[in-house]
Amino acid sequence: MASMFVAIWVAVLTFVAGVLGLYLQKLLPDQHSVEKSRDMIGSVMGLVTLLLALVLGTIVGSAYFFSSTQQSELQTLSTRNLLLDKALAQYGPETKPVRDKMKEGMTQVYNLFWGSGAGDVDPKLLTAASAIDSLKPMGDYIASLDPQTPAQKAAAAAAQANFGVIEQTRLLMSLQLAVPFSKPLLYVVVAWAAILFFGFGMLSRITATTLAAMALGAFAVASAIFLILELSEPYSGLFRISPAALEQTIAALDR
């Protein structure tokens, strides 16, 4: 909902800037009339339009790439958990309680982010410190394994390798979530949008068509900001990443 409120404020800001431009042109003295400065104003608006299109498009693309990266890392995490479970199963039946706890933990994660009531996730659960604490018991257990046979040694080595990738991926996901995009850059883009709409207003006349066009333009800019904010919250936003990989992993651990 915070993203929606921000988008609404951006739409209002850009629309109001355009309306101010419409009224200001009527108040200018004759020596500063828009007709005498139309070429210069049009050139500046063309420059701002280009800058806004490039930077806003880049930020939207970066936000989508960020969300896609989290999706890919979730798939990597799921794959490595399956391989870790397989290695522990090959080690021996004594690892069954730990494997059950691993499945229980994954089920809790799924219910937290994608189950009923998901969406209000505590940010502390997504930090690197939380990841380290949750992974420590499994790391200690794998380190405590005392393989006796060649098969157990191979299984313990595979478990250690897969857990290392799990640990690295989980920490990487947390650190990436800490700074999904540059907020100052977003502020600059919104300021450019307001300047652009003000210039459009300076070059136009007050009509119902002009106001409707400005409203549509303000909606377009606001929707782009909304996309950026929502894609930057892949576990709680409107465009949450798919849990299909995690669902298949939990189902496979039942076998």
Side-chain angles (χ1 to χ4, degrees), residues 82 85-86 89 96 99-100 102-103 247-255:
L82 283 174
D85 179 78
K86 179 181 177 182
K96 186 65 166 61
R99 294 170 57 210
D100 290 340
M102 184 173 69
K103 178 189 173 183
E247 290 174 346
Q248 291 191 36
T249 299
I250 294 173
L253 294 179
D254 284 329
R255 300 174 60 184

Side-chain angles (χ1 to χ4, degrees), residues 177-225:
L177 286 168
V179 188
F181 65 92
S182 173
K183 290 184 179 180
L185 181 59
L186 200 60
Y187 298 151
V188 171
V189 167
V190 173
W192 284 352
I195 293 172
L196 183 63
F197 274 66
F198 180 81
F200 288 158
M202 290 286 291
L203 296 174
S204 305
R205 293 283 185 262
I206 301 178
T207 64
T209 302
T210 300
L211 293 175
M214 281 192 174
L216 288 174
F219 171 78
V221 173
S223 62
I225 301 299

Side-chain angles (χ1 to χ4, degrees), residues 21-216:
L22 287 171
Y23 280 100
L24 181 61
Q25 66 161 309
K26 298 175 63 177
L27 303 178
L28 290 175
D30 184 66
Q31 63 268 28
H32 296 293
S33 64
V34 174
E35 284 72 15
K36 296 181 179 180
S37 308
R38 184 174 296 274
D39 291 341
M40 175 58 70
I41 296 175
S43 298
V44 173
M45 290 304 100
L47 174 62
V48 177
T49 300
L50 178 60
L51 291 173
L52 182 63
L54 288 174
V55 178
L56 188 59
T58 299
I59 299 176
V60 172
S62 297
Y64 178 77
F65 178 75
F66 170 76
S67 180
S68 298
T69 299
Q70 288 286 313
Q71 179 76 75
S72 176
E73 288 169 347
L74 179 63
Q75 294 168 349
T76 299
L77 207 60
S78 299
T79 301
R80 292 295 179 167
N81 271 285
L82 283 174
L83 294 176
L84 174 59
D85 179 78
K86 179 181 177 182
L88 292 175
Q90 291 174 343
Y91 185 88
E94 61 269 32
T95 62
K96 186 65 166 61
V98 174
R99 294 170 57 210
D100 290 340
K101 287 184 179 180
M102 184 173 69
K103 178 189 173 183
E104 181 182 347
M106 296 184 70
T107 303
Q108 290 175 350
V109 169
Y110 174 82
N111 291 333
L112 178 65
F113 292 104
W114 292 279
S116 59
D120 297 326
V121 181
D122 186 354
K124 293 182 180 179
L125 298 175
L126 301 174
T127 62
S130 176
I132 292 173
D133 291 340
S134 64
L135 292 171
K136 189 176 185 301
M138 178 60 77
D140 293 341
Y141 176 78
I142 294 176
S144 69
L145 292 176
D146 185 21
Q148 301 297 321
T149 66
Q152 285 187 329
K153 291 180 180 179
Q160 185 66 50
N162 284 299
F163 179 75
V165 176
I166 290 172
E167 192 172 33
Q168 180 181 7
T169 304
R170 180 65 182 84
L171 290 174
L172 184 60
M173 293 170 73
S174 296
L175 294 175
Q176 289 171 345
L177 286 168
V179 188
F181 65 92
S182 173
K183 290 184 179 180
L185 181 59
L186 200 60
Y187 298 151
V188 171
V189 167
V190 173
W192 284 352
I195 293 172
L196 183 63
F197 274 66
F198 180 81
F200 288 158
M202 290 286 291
L203 296 174
S204 305
R205 293 283 185 262
I206 301 178
T207 64
T209 302
T210 300
L211 293 175
M214 281 192 174
L216 288 174

